[in-house]
Amino acid sequence: MTPAEFAAELQRVSAGTDSAISKVVEKGALNIKNDARASLSSSNAGKSAAGQFINYDMSGTLEAEIGYDKMAGSLGTMNEYGSAGNAPKKNLANALEREAPVTAKYAAEAVDDLWR
Amino acid sequence: MAISARLVAVEVVEYLDGITNVAAYLSEGPTPPVGKTVIVHPDAGQHDGPLGNPDRDLRVEFQTTSVGTTAEQALWVHDQVATRLWRSTITLDGSTNTLPIFAIPGTEQPVRRDDNLADPLFYVTCSWMAHARPST
């Protein structure tokens, strides 16, 4: 491969990187949302109702925001962080911790695939 | 002696109980909850070291919930807790592990009101990490 060909290859790969990783990030966000909802539904009925308010939004290409909609009111923060009389459940934080290494692995594979 | 999230939390409760005018509890506060208390919640299931292996470093997370009858009081309790815990080191009874403690960035939540109680209380939560290093 000549330097010019290598430069062209680099350009081609870097142009496709955002799009490839964006799909992985969105899939990761979906997995976290589903995992957090599932772990909430194994909690008591009142609290599990808040699960339907867990959603995600893509903020730009490479960033996703996952959390409770405003409709959940204080139930969301109470589930996640607890309150004066309730222990924290950390459904979202635990789901993120489970998913993070999986998403990182698939992001690396997606970039690898661009070189082929 | 194996280290665990619960053992660390127990030791942290004892350590925080030394703060004047603040009562510290493990996992569950008094019923009904009262002001000027701190509740330490251990995070079960750690990810970077097997519990029970005394030869490995271990990161142990726990949350403090600082409670007050007013927003200002909850913040005051949290300040006392943060001052006491920040970069402090505790030694677990019966083990050689020492635990430098630091706040996990971004986990300090704003003061909130607990509306589920007949007499509303205010609380501030923050997550902390203890890094246990075997000394032998």
Side-chain angles (χ1 to χ4, degrees), chain A residues 31-65:
Chain A
N31 288 346
I32 292 168
K33 181 193 90 171
N34 290 340
D35 186 350
R37 281 187 176 191
S39 59
L40 257 174
S41 67
S42 62
S43 181
N44 76 45
K47 285 177 180 165
S48 68
Q52 64 182 305
F53 298 116
I54 295 178
N55 279 304
Y56 73 88
D57 289 310
M58 290 299 288
S59 322
T61 318
L62 301 177
E63 197 177 315
E65 189 175 330

Coordinates of all heavy atoms in Angstrom, one line a residue, chain A residues 31-65:
Chain A
N31 N -30.2 -1.5 25.6 CA -30.0 -2.6 26.5 C -30.1 -2.2 28.0 O -30.6 -2.8 28.8 CB -28.6 -3.3 26.3 CG -28.6 -4.1 25.0 OD1 -29.7 -4.4 24.4 ND2 -27.4 -4.4 24.5
I32 N -29.5 -1.0 28.2 CA -29.5 -0.4 29.6 C -31.0 -0.1 30.0 O -31.4 -0.5 31.1 CB -28.6 0.8 29.7 CG1 -27.2 0.4 29.5 CG2 -28.8 1.5 31.0 CD1 -26.2 1.6 29.3
K33 N -31.7 0.5 29.1 CA -33.1 0.8 29.4 C -33.9 -0.5 29.7 O -34.6 -0.6 30.7 CB -33.7 1.5 28.1 CG -35.2 1.8 28.3 CD -35.9 2.2 27.1 CE -36.5 1.0 26.4 NZ -37.4 1.3 25.3
N34 N -33.7 -1.5 28.9 CA -34.5 -2.8 29.1 C -34.0 -3.5 30.4 O -34.9 -4.0 31.1 CB -34.3 -3.7 27.9 CG -35.0 -3.2 26.6 OD1 -35.9 -2.4 26.7 ND2 -34.5 -3.7 25.5
D35 N -32.7 -3.5 30.6 CA -32.2 -4.1 31.8 C -32.7 -3.4 33.1 O -33.2 -4.1 34.0 CB -30.6 -4.0 31.8 CG -30.0 -4.8 32.9 OD1 -30.7 -5.2 33.9 OD2 -28.8 -4.9 32.9
A36 N -32.7 -2.1 33.1 CA -33.2 -1.3 34.2 C -34.7 -1.5 34.4 O -35.2 -1.7 35.6 CB -32.9 0.2 34.1
R37 N -35.4 -1.6 33.3 CA -36.9 -1.8 33.4 C -37.1 -3.2 34.0 O -38.0 -3.4 34.8 CB -37.5 -1.7 32.1 CG -37.8 -0.3 31.6 CD -38.6 -0.3 30.3 NE -38.9 1.1 29.9 CZ -39.8 1.3 28.9 NH1 -40.4 0.4 28.3 NH2 -40.0 2.6 28.6
A38 N -36.4 -4.2 33.5 CA -36.6 -5.6 34.0 C -36.2 -5.7 35.5 O -37.0 -6.4 36.2 CB -35.7 -6.5 33.2
S39 N -35.2 -5.0 35.9 CA -34.8 -5.2 37.3 C -35.8 -4.4 38.2 O -36.1 -4.8 39.3 CB -33.4 -4.7 37.6 OG -33.3 -3.3 37.2
L40 N -36.4 -3.4 37.7 CA -37.5 -2.7 38.4 C -38.7 -3.5 38.5 O -39.4 -3.5 39.6 CB -37.8 -1.4 37.7 CG -37.3 -0.1 38.3 CD1 -37.6 1.1 37.4 CD2 -37.8 0.1 39.7
S41 N -39.0 -4.3 37.5 CA -40.3 -5.1 37.5 C -40.2 -6.2 38.4 O -41.2 -6.8 38.8 CB -40.6 -5.6 36.1 OG -39.7 -6.5 35.7
S42 N -39.0 -6.6 38.9 CA -38.9 -7.6 39.9 C -39.0 -7.0 41.3 O -38.9 -7.7 42.3 CB -37.5 -8.4 39.8 OG -36.5 -7.5 40.0
S43 N -39.1 -5.6 41.3 CA -39.3 -5.0 42.6 C -40.8 -4.9 42.9 O -41.6 -5.6 42.3 CB -38.7 -3.6 42.5 OG -38.8 -2.8 43.6
N44 N -41.2 -4.1 43.9 CA -42.7 -4.1 44.2 C -43.5 -3.4 43.1 O -42.9 -2.6 42.3 CB -42.9 -3.6 45.6 CG -42.8 -2.1 45.7 OD1 -43.3 -1.4 44.9 ND2 -42.1 -1.6 46.7
A45 N -44.8 -3.7 43.1 CA -45.6 -3.2 42.0 C -45.6 -1.7 41.8 O -45.5 -1.2 40.7 CB -47.0 -3.7 42.2
G46 N -45.7 -1.0 42.9 CA -45.7 0.5 42.9 C -44.5 1.0 42.2 O -44.5 1.9 41.3
K47 N -43.3 0.5 42.6 CA -42.1 1.0 42.1 C -41.8 0.5 40.7 O -41.3 1.3 39.9 CB -40.9 0.5 43.0 CG -40.8 1.3 44.3 CD -39.8 0.8 45.2 CE -39.8 1.7 46.5 NZ -39.0 1.1 47.5
S48 N -42.3 -0.7 40.4 CA -42.1 -1.2 39.0 C -42.8 -0.4 38.0 O -42.5 -0.3 36.8 CB -42.4 -2.7 38.9 OG -43.8 -2.8 39.0
A49 N -43.9 0.3 38.4 CA -44.7 1.1 37.5 C -43.8 2.2 36.9 O -44.0 2.7 35.8 CB -45.9 1.7 38.2
A50 N -42.8 2.7 37.7 CA -42.0 3.7 37.3 C -41.1 3.3 36.1 O -40.6 4.1 35.3 CB -41.1 4.2 38.4
G51 N -41.0 2.0 35.9 CA -40.1 1.4 34.8 C -40.5 1.9 33.5 O -39.6 2.1 32.6
Q52 N -41.8 2.1 33.2 CA -42.3 2.5 31.9 C -41.8 3.9 31.6 O -41.8 4.3 30.4 CB -43.8 2.5 31.9 CG -44.5 3.4 32.8 CD -46.0 3.3 32.8 OE1 -46.6 3.5 31.8 NE2 -46.6 3.1 34.0
F53 N -41.3 4.7 32.6 CA -40.8 6.0 32.4 C -39.3 6.1 32.1 O -38.7 7.1 32.0 CB -41.2 6.9 33.5 CG -42.6 7.1 33.7 CD1 -43.2 6.6 34.9 CD2 -43.4 7.6 32.8 CE1 -44.6 6.7 35.1 CE2 -44.8 7.8 33.0 CZ -45.4 7.3 34.1
I54 N -38.7 4.9 32.1 CA -37.2 4.8 31.8 C -37.1 4.8 30.3 O -37.7 3.9 29.6 CB -36.5 3.6 32.4 CG1 -36.6 3.7 33.9 CG2 -35.1 3.5 31.9 CD1 -35.9 2.5 34.6
N55 N -36.4 5.8 29.7 CA -36.2 5.9 28.3 C -34.8 6.4 28.0 O -34.1 6.7 28.9 CB -37.2 6.8 27.7 CG -38.6 6.0 27.4 OD1 -38.6 5.0 26.8 ND2 -39.6 6.6 28.0
Y56 N -34.5 6.4 26.7 CA -33.2 7.0 26.3 C -33.4 7.9 25.1 O -34.3 7.8 24.3 CB -32.1 5.9 26.0 CG -32.4 5.2 24.7 CD1 -31.8 5.7 23.5 CD2 -33.1 4.1 24.6 CE1 -32.1 5.1 22.3 CE2 -33.4 3.4 23.4 CZ -32.8 3.9 22.3 OH -33.1 3.3 21.1
D57 N -32.5 8.9 25.0 CA -32.4 9.8 23.9 C -31.0 9.8 23.4 O -30.0 9.8 24.2 CB -32.8 11.2 24.3 CG -34.3 11.4 24.6 OD1 -35.1 10.9 23.7 OD2 -34.6 11.9 25.6
M58 N -30.8 9.8 22.1 CA -29.5 10.0 21.5 C -29.2 11.5 21.6 O -30.0 12.3 21.1 CB -29.4 9.5 20.1 CG -29.4 8.0 20.0 SD -28.1 7.2 20.8 CE -26.7 7.5 19.7
S59 N -28.1 11.9 22.2 CA -27.7 13.3 22.2 C -26.5 13.4 21.3 O -25.4 13.2 21.6 CB -27.2 13.8 23.6 OG -28.0 13.2 24.6
G60 N -26.8 13.8 20.0 CA -25.8 13.8 19.0 C -25.5 12.4 18.5 O -26.4 11.6 18.6
T61 N -24.3 12.2 18.0 CA -24.0 10.9 17.3 C -23.5 9.9 18.3 O -23.8 8.7 18.1 CB -23.0 11.2 16.2 OG1 -23.3 12.4 15.5 CG2 -22.9 10.0 15.2
L62 N -22.7 10.3 19.2 CA -21.9 9.3 20.0 C -22.4 9.3 21.5 O -21.7 8.7 22.3 CB -20.4 9.6 19.9 CG -19.8 9.5 18.5 CD1 -18.4 9.9 18.5 CD2 -20.1 8.1 17.9
E63 N -23.4 10.0 21.8 CA -23.8 10.1 23.2 C -25.3 9.8 23.4 O -26.1 10.2 22.6 CB -23.5 11.5 23.7 CG -23.5 11.7 25.2 CD -23.1 13.1 25.6 OE1 -22.2 13.7 25.0 OE2 -23.8 13.6 26.5
A64 N -25.6 9.0 24.4 CA -27.0 8.7 24.7 C -27.2 9.1 26.2 O -26.4 8.9 27.0 CB -27.2 7.2 24.5
E65 N -28.4 9.6 26.4 CA -28.8 9.9 27.8 C -30.0 9.0 28.1 O -31.0 8.9 27.5 CB -29.3 11.4 27.8 CG -29.5 11.9 29.2 CD -29.9 13.4 29.2 OE1 -29.4 14.1 28.3 OE2 -30.6 13.8 30.1

